[in-house]
């Protein structure tokens, strides 16, 4: 008891396996179609594989990726970055519904830089190898503009087991 506060023991599990990357390539797009975020070797940035030791264990995706978008005229501009998960090489699927980032009512040439945070619990229910990749796109088709995924990130995929 500290000043009337009562502290509870954490109920999180043990960290078992993990994969970490800080390697992204700066890339720019004006497309409204998703493209893979690339690593410094110009291939798809993949986090993992992490192979859960139990099918009841979960994976925790955490970290950040930096991005900037620029409006071509005085209007809203926004972009999407989404994580995708793969189990056992079966192909990537969305881990959650896309979330947009950007500005409304900005001036021509206005830039909006963001540090996109990821904090997500994934329950793949498997003991097969799991990987995560990221995709991005320019999201407002009626105006010109671009999104730049910066060459800075810090991402971790961590297996969480029982306490």
């Amino acid at each position: 008891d500290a000043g009337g506060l009562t502290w509870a023991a954490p109920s999180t599990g043990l960290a078992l396996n993990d994969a970490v990357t800080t390697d992204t390539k700066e890339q720019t797009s004006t497309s409204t179609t998703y493209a893979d975020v690339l690593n410094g070797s110009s291939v798809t940035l993949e986090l993992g594989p992490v192979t859960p030791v139990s099918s009841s264990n979960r994976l925790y995706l955490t970290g950040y990726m930096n991005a900037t978008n620029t409006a071509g005229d005085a209007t809203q501009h926004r972009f999407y970055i989404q994580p995708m998960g793969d189990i056992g090489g079966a192909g990537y699927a969305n881990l959650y519904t896309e979330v947009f980032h950007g500005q409304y009512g900005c001036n021509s040439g206005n830039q909006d830089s963001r540090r996109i945070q990821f904090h997500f619990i994934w329950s793949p229910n498997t003991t097969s190898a799991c990987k995560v990749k990221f995709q991005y796109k320019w999201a407002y088709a009626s105006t010109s503009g671009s999104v730049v995924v910066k060459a800075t990130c810090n991402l971790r995929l961590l297996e969480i087991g029982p306490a």
Side-chain angles (χ1 to χ4, degrees):
D1 189 351
L5 299 175
T6 302
W7 300 97
S11 62
T12 57
L14 300 173
L16 301 173
N17 297 306
D18 73 337
V20 178
T21 188
T22 58
D23 181 29
T24 55
K25 177 181 180 175
E26 185 164 317
Q27 53 202 106
T28 302
S29 178
T30 58
S31 175
T32 56
T33 301
Y34 276 110
D36 289 345
V37 172
L38 304 178
N39 66 18
S41 299
S42 297
V43 296
T44 299
L45 171 74
E46 291 182 305
L47 194 53
V50 170
T51 304
V53 296
S54 169
S55 62
S56 63
N57 290 352
R58 297 174 293 165
L59 300 178
Y60 177 48
L61 172 62
T62 187
Y64 68 87
M65 186 177 299
N66 291 329
T68 299
N69 61 340
T70 303
D73 53 28
T75 187
Q76 59 185 313
H77 55 111
R78 55 188 183 257
F79 63 96
Y80 293 93
I81 294 181
Q82 68 179 11
M84 310 274 294
D86 173 68
I87 300 172
Y92 282 96
N94 292 342
L95 288 179
Y96 62 80
T97 304
E98 61 189 16
V99 176
F100 79 85
H101 307 278
Q103 291 183 323
Y104 290 90
C106 60
N107 296 319
S108 179
N110 194 20
Q111 288 191 338
D112 177 35
S113 295
R114 300 282 174 118
R115 176 166 277 184
I116 312 304
Q117 301 284 335
F118 296 97
H119 303 285
F120 181 77
I121 298 288
W122 179 22
S123 299
N125 300 314
T126 188
T127 55
S128 296
C130 297
K131 296 187 289 186
V132 172
K133 73 174 184 177
F134 299 85
Q135 292 187 323
Y136 74 107
K137 71 177 181 177
W138 176 250
Y140 196 61
S142 67
T143 186
S144 62
S146 64
V147 58
V148 179
V149 175
K150 298 293 187 175
T152 53
C153 74
N154 190 332
L155 300 163
R156 175 174 287 215
L157 184 63
L158 181 69
E159 179 185 5
I160 302 170

